[in-house]
Amino acid sequence: MSDEEHHFESKGDAGASKTYPQQAGTIRKNGYIVIKGRPCKVVEVSTSKTGKHGHAKCHFVGIDIFTAKKLEDIVPSSHNCDVPHVNRTDYQLIDIAEDGFLSLLTENGSTKDDLKLPTDEALLAQIKDGFAEGKDLVVSVMSAMGEEQINALKDIGPKN
């Protein structure tokens, strides 16, 4: 044993990992998984039994939660897969800047100004139209693996 002191550099996020391991055989439909480095929602899982000495394999079909692209992966069911930490946060919309960035009100009363309007045309139109009509809008922001994107909108009534 040594008497040396160990010093660790602190990272702003308290060292929280972007993903955590989970055994492939325990991941179910509607769960999340990392496929080809992208966070995906699992839409289909099928397990194949293999030969005498092989492993059972899990075939995952997932939809990227940010780009909506379909991705597939096959993993032995006894192996670990990366599962992304996915968070959903609601923010009240304050303003839409001309450059396409939104000004959002957080729970603690501060503003968040680093989110762009979504690329989804229908959602984009709903946000712009609702804001133009002076409605109080709440946007749901999904974040995983260092990315954030608006994925839903709620109308909480007209502004007073």
Side-chain angles (χ1 to χ4, degrees), residues 5-125:
E5 283 189 38
H6 295 285
H7 294 283
F8 296 101
E9 292 296 314
S10 65
K11 313 271 188 288
D13 59 0
S17 174
K18 292 180 167 76
T19 62
Y20 60 94
Q22 186 174 340
Q23 194 171 332
T26 64
I27 296 172
R28 299 282 170 249
K29 188 176 172 180
N30 293 330
Y32 295 100
I33 186 173
V34 176
I35 301 177
K36 296 181 179 77
R38 300 293 303 156
C40 299
K41 187 177 179 94
V42 179
V43 290
E44 194 181 317
V45 181
S46 54
T47 310
S48 63
K49 297 276 183 246
T50 55
K52 204 170 177 183
H53 299 291
H55 289 279
K57 296 218 174 14
C58 294
H59 176 236
F60 295 104
V61 178
I63 305 283
D64 188 315
I65 60 177
F66 296 121
T67 64
K69 284 195 178 113
K70 190 175 183 180
L71 297 163
E72 295 187 43
D73 201 5
I74 296 174
V75 186
S77 64
S78 58
H79 286 204
N80 279 349
C81 290
D82 282 335
V83 177
H85 288 287
V86 179
N87 293 320
R88 177 179 273 144
T89 319
D90 288 348
Y91 298 107
Q92 187 169 346
L93 179 62
I94 302 171
D95 192 19
I96 301 175
E98 270 144 53
D99 58 4
F101 281 89
L102 302 178
S103 187
L104 304 169
L105 186 66
T106 63
E107 291 271 312
N108 62 12
S110 60
T111 59
K112 179 174 177 60
D113 302 307
D114 59 354
L115 271 174
K116 245 181 157 23
L117 280 163
T119 48
D120 176 18
E121 292 297 322
L123 189 57
L124 178 65

